[in-house]
Amino acid sequence: MRLNDCDPGFKHEVAAEPGGAGIRACFACAACSARCPVGANRPAYDPRRIIRLTLLGRREEVLASPLIWLCSSCYSCGEVCPQQVRFTEVLTAIKNIAAREGHAPPSAKITAELLAKQGRLLEVTDFENDKRSGLGLPPVQQRPEDFQAILGLKPSEGEAGEEPR
Amino acid sequence: MTNAQLDTPVLILGGGVAGLAAAVDLARRGVAATLIEREPRLGGRASQFCCKATEACARCGACRLGELLAQAAQLPQITIYTAALAVAAQPQNDGWQVDLAPQPGGEIGPGAGRPLRERTTLNTQAVILAVGGGAFNPAGKTRFGHGRVQGVFSALELEAMLSQGALGPDGLAPAKVAFIQCVGSRDASLGRLWCSRVCCGYALRMGRVIRKLLPDSEVTFFHMDVQDYGRAWEDELPLMRHQMRFVRAMPGEVTAGDGGPQVTYALAGEQAQKEGFDLVVLSVGLGPPNGASALGELFGAAKDDDGFLTADGGPAGVFVAGAAAGPRSLNESIVHAGLAASAAAVRVASLTEARHG
């Protein structure tokens, strides 16, 4: 590894993202790595390593890595962290930068498309609403417009789903 | 019923090493002092500690309690009451009026001190708060299994086991011992941001004692980083790295396994692993004294950001000595007590001069 290949500004870039500031507090104690259920099944996934690479400024290596998309957002790392780094949120910050630069994996793109179309990942059909009405619950309405706005997509006329409330 | 009356130039609260060292220091300056200890026995936290010498003295300071007790017993300027608690305090023109109440369980033991028998009102020119620090209760760190997983002990419990000879050829013979550092220190999730400064030292010293008692044992030291624990640290540390396994990782959890506690930890570049031990020792840190708030209210003593007592910004004539003012080793507490004694002696001298001059 050559220092010239490292981007010293990367850690500040991550820290400036929402949720990313926790990276400044890391002691590299590896409690997160010890507790991570993803790492227990996929040895290459190591929260401490992702943080160290980020602090070192290995910008492309981190952003292009498929590993950063494996987090299951279980927050076990945050629970054991003595420094309140909130790694789940730090990783979200890293993923947001990666997505902006076109590194999002196909599954993330499909997820975004589903959200844009349905307003949720699970499509609500008559099946669900029939069950709900049997239990005396009001029908669930799909409101994808909010997500389309968040995702920067304009809601198209024909695809907006049911009437908004 | 009126209280018994007592006049003393300096009142010292706490009969641990800091309080005793302050009393001895004052006596050597010719200043009389009254020391009160709320427990039936003197000694404080230090009385739980074992000698950690191996081939040579490890300078842990545990033996200095005995020296201080012997010195305090021989100096006529020192009056000691055990089982005595300060229950009220009033600032006066040139000092404090303090009400002392006897506590149950006071018995006359060998050496210095006798139990307080009746409620006493004491007039003093200076007060030294030497009430010691509080030890972290490891049950507050549930994932390390203290009180839940067999074979997990706090370092204070290991101290007791070592001083009672419970560990060794004639007692328990653990083959694998793990120390987990920073339990209750440097932990934002607990709101305890400070380094306790003594745990690396006591854990490494106890690790050496275990290796000497049981030469076939293996000692593993889980840490974030090793803090300086005193003189000759730079020379000792490389030797210790040969005697013990240093693992730079905080374990994720300690769980019950088949043969004993299991520690989950991740080495750099490796998958997290579970390793079984016979004994897991949690190196608990120091915190503000129990009852710091009550004492603070009684004497108006200020507290620092972490909750330790401080003489800075507090009322005149109140001084703080030892671990009550921040994490300190035994040796450091004794030195710190000398500073408090010196400040108290200066105050007593200037008040006496003003009265007679």
Side-chain angles (χ1 to χ4, degrees):
Chain A
M1 187 186 295
R2 284 161 48 87
L3 272 182
N4 284 351
D5 299 336
C6 298
D7 175 356
F10 184 42
K11 55 183 177 286
H12 301 303
E13 196 182 340
V14 171
E17 288 284 319
I23 196 164
R24 297 186 198 278
C26 178
F27 274 159
C29 77
C32 49
S33 301
R35 197 60 181 275
C36 177
V38 176
N41 291 290
R42 182 81 181 266
Y45 180 80
D46 182 345
R48 167 160 74 170
R49 183 175 160 82
I50 294 172
I51 290 187
R52 295 322 287 174
L53 286 172
T54 304
L55 292 174
L56 279 168
R58 305 291 289 173
R59 194 175 189 283
E60 283 314 301
E61 192 176 339
V62 171
L63 296 182
S65 168
L67 294 172
I68 61 173
W69 300 91
L70 294 182
C71 172
S72 68
S73 300
C74 74
Y75 288 87
S76 293
C77 49
E79 188 190 315
V80 298
C81 177
Q83 281 291 92
Q84 292 181 327
V85 168
R86 295 176 178 272
F87 178 71
T88 312
E89 290 165 27
V90 170
L91 195 59
T92 301
I94 292 172
K95 284 186 285 194
N96 280 334
I97 299 172
R100 284 202 294 273
E101 301 191 2
H103 291 297
S107 61
K109 285 171 190 154
I110 293 166
T111 305
E113 282 162 14
L114 282 172
L115 277 175
K117 184 161 167 272
Q118 299 169 177
R120 59 185 64 231
L121 295 182
L122 175 77
E123 189 183 6
V124 178
T125 62
D126 290 345
F127 176 75
E128 284 82 15
N129 277 333
D130 283 351
K131 277 191 111 169
R132 287 178 65 89
S133 83
L135 293 165
L137 295 167
V140 170
Q141 298 192 337
Q142 304 204 147
R143 301 186 62 205
E145 305 80 11
D146 298 345
F147 289 93
Q148 289 163 355
I150 291 169
L151 294 165
L153 305 168
K154 215 179 156 193
S156 56
E157 289 300 315
E159 275 189 1
E162 283 97 322
E163 289 293 310
R165 271 182 288 174
Chain B
M1 196 183 89
T2 51
N3 288 352
Q5 300 288 315
L6 209 62
D7 279 341
T8 183
V10 182
L11 170 67
I12 300 167
L13 271 67
V17 285
L20 290 165
V24 168
D25 199 288
L26 283 165
R28 289 190 173 146
R29 293 165 193 268
V31 179
T34 301
L35 183 151
I36 62 164
E37 164 61 48
R38 74 177 163 187
E39 298 294 325
R41 295 167 61 101
L42 292 171
R45 183 83 62 204
S47 59
Q48 301 173 10
F49 297 160
C50 60
C51 168
K52 299 180 189 66
T54 45
E55 281 75 21
C57 170
R59 288 184 292 272
C60 72
C63 56
R64 298 194 66 186
L65 174 62
E67 294 169 14
L68 287 168
L69 283 169
Q71 288 163 359
Q74 279 168 11
L75 288 163
Q77 297 92 336
I78 303 175
T79 310
I80 297 177
Y81 293 107
T82 55
L85 189 67
V87 290
Q90 292 288 326
Q92 306 290 312
N93 280 343
D94 56 354
W96 289 81
Q97 188 178 70
V98 185
D99 284 348
L100 309 180
Q103 299 297 294
E107 278 165 35
I108 297 172
R114 59 178 188 273
L116 187 72
R117 287 293 177 219
E118 54 184 337
R119 276 188 85 101
T120 304
T121 299
L122 179 143
N123 287 294
T124 185
Q125 291 164 331
V127 177
I128 297 178
L129 304 176
V131 294
F136 178 70
N137 177 358
K141 205 73 187 161
T142 46
R143 65 194 167 96
F144 289 148
H146 186 264
R148 197 160 48 80
V149 177
Q150 215 170 6
V152 178
F153 296 93
S154 84
L156 281 174
E157 290 164 336
L158 181 67
E159 289 267 8
M161 288 159 77
L162 286 171
S163 51
Q164 288 159 16
L167 220 66
D170 301 325
L172 261 176
K176 286 185 74 179
V177 182
F179 285 88
I180 299 178
Q181 297 304 110
C182 294
V183 178
S185 310
R186 303 168 77 201
D187 194 332
S189 67
L190 298 168
R192 299 166 69 95
L193 298 176
W194 58 91
C195 168
S196 291
R197 305 191 63 248
V198 297
C199 325
C200 284
Y202 73 60
L204 289 170
R205 287 182 176 106
M206 287 201 283
R208 269 188 159 175
V209 170
I210 290 172
R211 292 275 292 116
K212 178 157 187 283
L213 282 172
L214 304 157
D216 295 332
S217 60
E218 284 174 34
V219 176
T220 305
F221 182 73
F222 291 103
H223 64 287
M224 295 199 265
D225 38 40
V226 188
Q227 299 296 322
D228 187 340
Y229 69 86
R231 218 166 78 189
W233 174 80
E234 284 169 352
D235 296 330
E236 296 290 332
L237 195 61
L239 301 177
M240 289 180 177
R241 286 187 188 276
H242 288 293
Q243 295 167 324
M244 291 170 251
R245 181 168 61 131
F246 281 58
V247 176
R248 195 177 172 280
M250 281 304 276
E253 61 184 339
V254 180
T255 48
D258 286 340
Q262 287 194 312
V263 178
T264 307
Y265 65 98
L267 294 174
E270 287 182 29
Q271 194 171 6
Q273 56 185 301
K274 271 189 180 194
E275 185 175 340
F277 291 90
D278 299 307
L279 205 62
V280 172
V281 183
L282 307 180
S283 295
V284 291
L286 286 172
N290 303 324
S293 308
L295 266 177
E297 272 176 34
L298 218 51
F299 292 98
K303 287 192 278 181
D304 68 13
D305 291 344
D306 294 328
F308 291 94
L309 296 174
T310 170
D312 298 340
V318 175
F319 307 94
V320 186
R328 272 180 182 79
S329 69
L330 296 181
N331 290 326
E332 288 167 342
S333 290
I334 290 166
V335 173
H336 193 246
L339 293 174
S342 160
V346 167
R347 175 178 162 82
V348 169
S350 65
L351 284 174
T352 310
E353 202 171 296
R355 202 178 284 168
H356 299 295

